[in-house]
Amino acid sequence: MRFSSRLIFCSAAPAALFVFALLSSQWGLTRTQSDFNDYLKNNQAVVAQLQELYAQGLQSGQALRNIVMDPSDKQAVQNLGNARQAYDAAYADLRQRVQGTAMEAAVGDMQALRQAQSAAQDKIVQLAGEDYDTAAAALKNEETPAWRTLREAVLQELKAARAAAEASHKDHRDRAQRIVMAATAAVWNGGRWVLNT
């Protein structure tokens, strides 16, 4: 090979390798961004909505107790309504996000548990204005057990969702590291090849 041809080849080869590494890195960055967006949109969103169910369940229980203690407390009545609306909105979003996943059936089963709790709450709100003792007894014997059952279901799915989110995060992180290592290896090996040519 003539010296000029060899010089051109030795100049073009590194340039081609660097372009390849750059394109690989760009593809890896795009893929990593897509994976991260998917992680936030799905895994983390499911965890967040389950946490919201738990928080609003607690909030509605506290508001209900305030109503039993003082049926004329309009703020407690409003708090109960707000908590129930927030719960229902979070649940509707959660149902959509888990469609077609392993969590779909369990999340679907929560609806009946929630309806039982809501029915108990409605009964207690009505009783609170009539008879404190009866309302307090219903709170203890009906609403509290209904909430405990629902809470257990929510917490069980929350634990599973957190584990799935962690596994997904690790998978995306490992994939990103492999892409970076492949691009680095391409540049390194290409440089060594040029120097040995």
Side-chain angles (χ1 to χ4, degrees):
M1 180 182 289
R2 290 181 1 215
F3 178 75
S4 59
S5 299
R6 185 170 179 171
L7 184 62
I8 292 171
F9 178 74
C10 288
S11 298
L17 287 170
F18 279 112
V19 168
F20 171 76
L22 181 62
L23 292 175
S24 296
S25 298
Q26 183 62 40
W27 175 83
L29 181 61
T30 302
R31 176 66 187 267
T32 300
Q33 182 65 44
S34 175
D35 287 346
F36 184 68
N37 288 339
D38 180 65
Y39 170 75
L40 290 179
K41 182 180 175 183
N42 295 311
N43 300 102
Q44 278 302 102
V46 167
V47 170
Q49 294 297 42
L50 285 163
Q51 289 173 329
E52 183 70 2
L53 295 186
Y54 181 69
Q56 296 306 328
L58 290 176
Q59 177 64 26
S60 65
Q62 183 58 53
L64 187 64
R65 281 156 181 76
N66 291 342
I67 292 170
V68 170
M69 289 188 293
D70 181 5
S72 65
D73 185 348
K74 292 181 180 179
Q75 186 61 55
V77 174
Q78 183 177 346
N79 289 346
L80 177 61
N82 290 343
R84 290 172 75 167
Q85 286 180 358
Y87 181 100
D88 291 341
Y91 181 76
D93 184 74
L94 178 64
R95 284 287 297 264
Q96 288 183 340
R97 292 183 187 278
V98 299
Q99 283 182 354
T101 72
M103 295 179 66
E104 183 175 8
V107 170
D109 291 342
M110 289 180 193
Q111 183 65 10
L113 302 177
R114 174 61 174 170
Q115 288 171 347
Q117 183 200 25
S118 294
Q121 288 178 343
D122 291 339
K123 177 181 176 180
I124 292 164
V125 169
Q126 182 178 350
L127 288 172
E130 302 169 359
D131 182 354
Y132 170 81
D133 291 335
T134 304
L139 178 64
K140 178 182 178 182
N141 299 322
E142 296 179 38
E143 197 277 340
T144 298
W147 163 239
R148 285 176 180 160
T149 302
L150 176 59
R151 180 186 65 189
E152 182 61 30
V154 169
L155 291 178
Q156 184 174 342
E157 292 312 303
L158 181 56
K159 181 179 180 181
R162 283 175 173 158
E166 179 60 29
S168 177
H169 181 264
K170 182 180 184 305
D171 181 57
H172 294 331
R173 185 182 63 228
D174 291 348
R175 186 179 300 136
Q177 288 176 345
R178 286 194 298 271
I179 291 169
V180 170
M181 289 174 64
T184 302
V187 172
W188 175 257
N189 289 328
R192 288 180 59 197
W193 176 77
V194 168
L195 290 175
N196 293 330
T197 301

